[in-house]
Amino acid sequence: MPKWLENAVFYEIYPQSYYDSNGDGIGDLQGIIEKLPYIKELGCNALWINPIYDSPFMDAGYDVRDHKKVAPRYGTLDDVKELLSTAHDMGIKVLFDLVPGHTSDQNEWFLQSKKAEKNDYTDTYIFTKSVWDAPPQYRLMCGICERDGNYLVNYFSSQPALNYGFYDITHPAWQMPSDCDAAKNTVELIKDIMRYWMDLGVDGFRVDMADSLVKNDDEKIATSKIWAGIREMMDKDYPECALVSEWCNPQRSINDGGFHMDFYLDHYGNGYSTLFRYLVDGENKSFFSDSAKGDLSTFLSEYNVNYPATKDNGYICFMTNNHDMPRATFYMSEEMIKLSHTFMMTMPGVPFVYYGDEIGMRYQTDLVSKEGGFSRTGSRTPMQWDSSKNLGFSTADESKLYLPVDKSDDAPTVENNIGRKGSIYENLKTLIALRHEYEDLRNGSDFELVHAEKGDNLFIYKRGEFTVYFNVSKEKKEVKLKNVGEIVFMLGDYEINGETLILDGRNAVIIKG
Ligand code: GLC
Ligand code: CA
């Protein structure tokens, strides 16, 4: 296990929208390099950058055309090297995005695979035996290539699934077992790409749709086995590199697959969703919501099982948001966001901050879909730096921007957040600093539930010698003090009266000792 993960706080960058260094309207690698001091100042010491590879951008780069080539719009391989060395000099690790399940339909491997004559890539993707063979339970693209067969896609139509074989073989005419040579060869192709970037200095990968590899593998037995093999390679040759999975099943991902980290994703009605984003018939029923109508039961029923089962092997990752879902501001007020950050930065695991969430950027509605973003587009708009042209994102004409910037008069920016007492930014920065200062608040001690009862809007837990108290309701609440010590953090006012802590509404307090 790489030691640096223990104290890592990640920052996710959607490169298109971070900072445009050359005025062509789209963010780029030099732009990220320029903003590293800003990221460092916030307290983040690791980055996850969404795909920067050559791509036709039918899915914002998750459709990779050439895994070893940098998309010219972001820069060159030299820019990658400069980014890595600059970041490393500043103590910042860099994870790239690995898309192992599929490629673009313009990838050279696929162009070979769809040819009629047999070649080295014939079995790199999944084709049915003939074009008349199209079982409806599979997502197949039919009748569009020279080769007599239909191919399986993973996500959009332009993303053919790579062949890692099938666990349950239901159509033996074309489904191969997951331990066949062709499937093993696909694993080698992916390992080769991983090695390429790690040899250049990349510190690991966020793995896209990590559970998608082997088909008809409901229990993910064969898929986990592939990842366990990849973890062996990492331990042997890249022991300081890390993998985080887009999976949301830590027992499978971490324990079976050997991932160092697994994301707690927003799946409607699950623990993450009911904490932050649970809309029921338009009404917000999440725990961290202004309506204060939620509770912690779903979250705790998952976490109390998954956390103890995986804590010795890896980390569960809380994220403020990512590029696939509406921004937190769509669900929560500024006050509630600050409470949610207090939670995320004081839980075990490794937290991830999505660019712009540190200043409360808003989810933009009514945007035309960009590069396969659809409803996700509104969370992918340019970073808002200051009050200058295009909010400091780019000097290009507005019409040339990758996506429009937030046009509201009161658009949050870095400039109007920094130094303002009580801003989301200042609050998050304080919390990250506490996490770096105290081992107990990160992974040095266990999560111990002290209080969570349906309906009272309170949440109290211990982390070693610290106790974290939340009151998410509007009203003042009294709780029994668990520890009398130094107040290291507070969001609002509180009073201590003997053994009682009186918390103002929408408040969080952290007490040490
Ligand atoms: C993941 C990515 C998402 C992408 C999809 C297909 O969910 O986060 O952005 O569209 O995989 O690769
Ligand atoms: Ca640019």
Side-chain angles (χ1 to χ4, degrees):
M1 179 65 75
K3 183 90 186 80
W4 61 271
L5 284 181
E6 191 273 324
N7 190 19
V9 178
F10 273 85
Y11 190 79
E12 177 191 350
I13 295 181
Y14 187 72
Q16 291 89 318
S17 293
Y18 201 55
Y19 184 61
D20 173 19
S21 72
N22 60 354
D24 63 357
I26 187 160
D28 43 58
L29 291 163
Q30 282 298 331
I32 298 175
I33 296 171
E34 267 186 61
K35 296 298 183 185
L36 287 173
Y38 164 76
I39 295 165
K40 172 102 184 164
E41 179 66 23
L42 175 61
C44 293
N45 53 15
L47 304 178
W48 153 30
I49 305 176
N50 296 111
I52 49 119
Y53 318 112
D54 176 52
S55 164
F57 295 106
M58 295 299 287
D59 184 16
Y62 285 94
D63 47 329
V64 182
R65 181 164 49 203
D66 184 341
H67 291 95
K68 295 184 181 173
K69 187 175 164 202
V70 177
R73 69 190 204 180
Y74 297 134
T76 62
L77 199 60
D78 280 340
D79 294 322
V80 168
K81 290 181 190 160
E82 189 183 331
L83 168 66
L84 294 171
S85 66
T86 316
H88 291 161
D89 285 349
M90 294 170 71
I92 298 175
K93 303 281 184 180
V94 182
L95 299 200
F96 274 8
D97 216 312
L98 180 75
V99 191
H102 47 270
T103 67
S104 158
D105 58 3
Q106 293 183 27
N107 188 294
E108 187 55 35
W109 303 343
F110 187 69
L111 298 180
Q112 294 297 325
S113 196
K114 68 180 197 174
K115 284 186 176 159
E117 76 264 17
K118 275 203 178 295
N119 59 61
D120 286 351
Y121 295 94
T122 298
D123 293 328
T124 303
Y125 295 82
I126 305 170
F127 280 82
T128 61
K129 197 85 192 151
S130 97
V131 79
W132 313 121
D133 187 2
Q137 64 270 42
Y138 295 101
R139 292 174 64 199
L140 296 166
M141 295 299 290
C142 299
I144 52 173
C145 42
E146 170 187 279
R147 175 171 172 177
D148 184 11
N150 305 313
Y151 61 90
L152 202 73
V153 296
N154 249 6
Y155 203 72
F156 291 150
S157 304
S158 58
Q159 291 161 309
L162 284 161
N163 181 22
Y164 292 91
F166 286 71
Y167 186 69
D168 266 339
I169 297 187
T170 51
H171 295 73
W174 54 275
Q175 297 178 346
M176 301 175 187
S178 58
D179 57 0
C180 71
D181 286 348
K184 283 189 192 145
N185 186 55
T186 310
V187 176
E188 291 311 312
L189 290 173
I190 292 300
K191 278 184 170 169
D192 173 62
I193 291 159
M194 295 175 76
R195 285 182 172 280
Y196 175 78
W197 290 108
M198 291 191 289
D199 287 342
L200 267 173
V202 169
D203 301 291
F205 301 90
R206 174 268 186 181
V207 179
D208 183 76
M209 291 175 61
D211 64 337
S212 73
L213 305 190
V214 178
K215 305 304 179 197
N216 292 354
D217 184 19
D218 291 351
E219 300 301 317
K220 305 294 170 193
I221 292 165
T223 300
S224 301
K225 206 169 151 199
I226 292 176
W227 289 117
I230 290 177
R231 171 65 185 264
E232 266 176 40
M233 167 184 93
M234 307 274 298
D235 284 350
K236 185 167 154 282
D237 297 336
Y238 308 93
E240 283 304 301
C241 291
L243 297 178
V244 51
S245 53
E246 184 194 29
W247 193 321
C248 198
N249 188 329
Q251 299 200 47
R252 281 180 183 160
S253 156
I254 294 172
N255 291 356
D256 302 343
F259 275 91
H260 305 91
M261 304 173 266
D262 183 44
F263 280 116
Y264 208 156
L265 299 169
D266 177 26
H267 292 163
Y268 186 73
N270 78 347
Y272 185 92
S273 154
T274 55
L275 279 173
F276 312 115
R277 290 154 182 264
Y278 191 41
L279 300 185
V280 184
D281 299 327
E283 196 180 12
N284 196 329
K285 295 207 168 161
S286 351
F287 180 73
F288 288 102
S289 101
D290 296 276
S291 74
K293 285 195 173 158
D295 67 70
L296 295 155
S297 54
T298 306
F299 163 66
L300 289 171
S301 68
E302 291 175 2
Y303 197 76
N304 283 339
V305 176
N306 287 332
Y307 167 67
T310 57
K311 71 185 172 73
D312 294 335
N313 302 325
Y315 301 113
I316 294 173
C317 299
F318 282 97
M319 57 191 179
T320 60
N321 185 31
N322 68 21
H323 62 291
D324 288 332
M325 41 191 214
R327 285 197 183 262
T329 42
F330 184 67
Y331 305 91
M332 288 182 263
S333 65
E334 203 166 294
E335 271 182 317
M336 212 38 78
I337 287 178
K338 289 191 276 178
L339 283 164
S340 75
H341 288 173
T342 310
F343 168 77
M344 291 185 210
M345 296 303 144
T346 56
M347 286 295 284
V350 178
F352 279 67
V353 178
Y354 183 53
Y355 85 96
D357 280 358
E358 75 275 26
I359 56 168
M361 267 174 67
R362 302 185 187 124
Y363 177 59
Q364 303 295 310
T365 47
D366 301 329
L367 290 180
V368 175
S369 174
K370 180 82 177 183
E371 299 185 341
F374 300 95
S375 64
R376 308 173 294 183
T377 305
S379 297
R380 299 175 174 186
T381 56
M383 178 67 178
Q384 298 159 196
W385 296 100
D386 55 40
S387 57
S388 67
K389 186 178 178 186
N390 300 320
L391 300 184
F393 162 66
S394 168
T395 56
D397 278 356
E398 205 188 312
S399 63
K400 295 235 174 70
L401 296 187
Y402 175 77
L403 278 169
V405 296
D406 183 345
K407 297 210 176 65
S408 40
D409 291 340
D410 62 346
T413 63
V414 168
E415 191 179 41
N416 67 28
N417 258 260
I418 286 192
R420 178 164 54 83
K421 198 167 173 281
S423 68
I424 294 183
Y425 173 92
E426 290 298 340
N427 183 62
L428 181 60
K429 186 175 165 182
T430 303
L431 286 163
I432 296 176
L434 281 177
R435 191 175 177 93
H436 289 317
E437 186 175 349
Y438 299 115
E439 221 182 308
D440 268 351
L441 289 180
R442 32 185 214 263
N443 294 295
S445 68
D446 281 352
F447 166 82
E448 252 179 83
L449 179 65
V450 175
H451 177 96
E453 251 165 50
K454 252 191 181 149
D456 74 2
N457 293 310
L458 295 167
F459 185 19
I460 306 171
Y461 53 83
K462 276 182 82 86
R463 301 294 318 284
E465 59 167 341
F466 294 80
T467 309
V468 189
Y469 301 84
F470 290 91
N471 170 16
V472 301
S473 75
K474 273 208 296 282
E475 293 80 39
K476 250 188 196 188
K477 295 247 172 177
E478 294 191 357
V479 300
K480 198 173 164 335
L481 208 53
K482 289 288 152 194
N483 55 345
V484 191
E486 188 195 343
I487 311 268
V488 295
F489 176 86
M490 72 205 135
L491 266 179
D493 281 337
Y494 67 91
E495 251 176 80
I496 292 176
N497 194 346
E499 300 239 305
T500 308
L501 171 66
I502 308 156
L503 288 169
D504 268 10
R506 300 197 177 133
N507 199 356
V509 170
I510 307 175
I511 304 179
K512 172 178 181 272

